[in-house]
Amino acid sequence: MALSAHKLLLLLLPLLLCQSKAKGNTCSDCFTQSSAAYYPNSDKEGTETGACEYGTFGATLNGGDVSAASNLYRNGVGCGACYQVRCTDAKYCSTDGVTIVITDLGASGNTDFILSQHAFARMGQNADAGASLVSLGVVGIEYRRVSCSYPNKNITFKIDQSSNLYYFAFQIWYQQGNKDITAVQLCETDNLTCKLLERSHGAVWAVASPPRGPLSVRMLLSGGVDGDETWVVPPNNIPQNWTAGDIYDSGIQV
Ligand SMILES: *[C@@H]1O[C@H](CO)[C@@H](O)[C@H](O)[C@H]1NC(C)=O
Ligand SMILES: *[C@@H]1O[C@H](CO)[C@@H](O)[C@H](O)[C@H]1NC(C)=O
Ligand SMILES: *[C@@H]1O[C@H](CO)[C@@H](O)[C@H](O)[C@H]1NC(C)=O
């Protein structure tokens, strides 16, 4: 009896080891240890001046729970990515912390995030604990990438104010999930000629001499838990008579 139990363990051992190794490799749910600061009082909620160039949208996005990132900014690829950030002092901090959206580039000492003050305080167990965190200024945190969620929103195109017939720039708002937009094409709907755009800065995609007519947008989504790359082609085009500053519903969500 004892022998067979021993045999069973020998059989199971490699299996158990293998399982914990696989977990360590993927580890999509793991938290990374770091620290976070917050914007000075002038930016109590979101910010209109972030490097992602979201403008006034950045001030209201995610109810003002936004953040600047240092390494995670990734040259603008990180713009719009969502992270769960929770502080680690059990005296003040809630277990869930706060979910923030990256809207800016910035670092303060060795922080990964400079949160809006609104988001920073929300890491507390209650309003008093949040105020105590704010008085600390910089706190130890742990974070992980999570899916963005925008209930009742489709992916939306915001045409940059700088756009004209010879230069086209736009942003992609409300992309759900945890993938990055790593390439964008604009295609003429008449003859399907496509142009690859460049991430010019922040969340802004741009191209010189844009195609004419109604424009079909193609977005390459990469990364995430499965690591797959997928081209997403929304049903709605940017209309031929698009206007700088306007906002268009793509008719799709991911
Ligand atoms: C097709 O696309 C090319 C490249 O943008 C453009 O120069 C040309 O005028 C288009 N042709 C037609 C028939 O729309
Ligand atoms: C653009 O064209 C559509 C019809 O195709 C029209 O409904 C809309 O008012 C036009 N917008 C502008 C700004 O001209
Ligand atoms: C999103 O797109 C779908 C399909 O085109 C449309 O029916 C729906 O009204 C859109 N939702 C919003 C919130 O605009």
Side-chain angles (χ1 to χ4, degrees):
M1 202 62 200
L3 186 73
S4 70
H6 180 68
K7 252 188 184 160
L8 193 70
L9 187 66
L10 278 180
L11 277 172
L12 279 174
L13 201 60
L15 214 91
L16 291 170
L17 283 175
C18 186
Q19 207 171 34
S20 66
K21 188 156 172 256
K23 238 183 190 167
N25 281 346
T26 50
C27 205
S28 55
D29 283 342
C30 284
F31 283 89
T32 302
Q33 308 293 313
S34 182
S35 61
Y38 62 88
Y39 281 104
N41 286 345
S42 55
D43 287 300
K44 266 203 156 136
E45 301 204 334
T47 175
E48 295 189 7
T49 56
C52 294
E53 299 259 342
Y54 288 133
T56 50
F57 174 66
T60 55
L61 179 58
N62 199 34
D65 290 333
V66 297
S67 180
S70 46
N71 292 330
L72 298 171
Y73 183 75
R74 292 179 290 141
N75 249 331
V77 178
C79 288
C82 294
Y83 290 88
Q84 181 186 1
V85 181
R86 60 187 191 193
C87 57
T88 49
D89 185 339
K91 194 166 148 204
Y92 302 120
C93 302
S94 71
T95 47
D96 287 343
V98 63
T99 296
I100 56 87
V101 181
I102 302 296
T103 58
D104 196 6
L105 166 69
S108 167
N110 290 322
T111 62
D112 271 297
F113 300 96
I114 303 177
L115 302 173
S116 67
Q117 194 170 318
H118 188 262
F120 197 86
R122 279 199 59 201
M123 293 191 295
Q125 287 156 11
N126 49 47
D128 282 351
S132 300
L133 289 173
V134 167
S135 68
L136 291 174
V138 179
V139 296
I141 55 126
E142 50 189 21
Y143 70 85
R144 63 180 173 184
R145 180 100 185 243
V146 294
S147 283
C148 299
S149 172
Y150 299 108
N152 307 315
K153 299 276 188 198
N154 289 329
I155 289 176
T156 300
F157 305 128
K158 165 73 197 283
I159 314 299
D160 201 87
Q161 211 63 55
S162 65
S163 295
N164 55 48
L165 284 178
Y166 311 101
Y167 174 81
F168 185 88
F170 80 124
Q171 300 183 9
I172 298 164
W173 289 353
Y174 300 124
Q175 172 217 345
Q176 293 197 142
N178 57 7
K179 288 176 176 281
D180 300 321
I181 299 175
T182 52
V184 174
Q185 288 185 330
L186 274 186
C187 302
E188 288 190 21
T189 48
D190 294 342
N191 68 8
L192 290 179
T193 311
C194 294
K195 272 206 154 178
L196 197 61
L197 276 63
E198 281 187 3
R199 187 184 288 278
S200 76
H201 55 287
V204 179
W205 294 90
V207 66
S209 323
R212 301 294 160 98
L215 300 174
S216 165
V217 179
R218 296 162 49 93
M219 301 170 282
L220 184 65
L221 299 192
S222 308
V225 176
D226 56 19
D228 286 349
E229 293 205 317
T230 325
W231 281 101
V232 175
V233 184
N236 295 350
N237 298 323
I238 295 174
Q240 177 157 16
N241 63 355
W242 59 262
T243 312
D246 270 6
I247 291 170
Y248 299 101
D249 181 351
S250 73
I252 203 173
Q253 187 50 275
V254 289

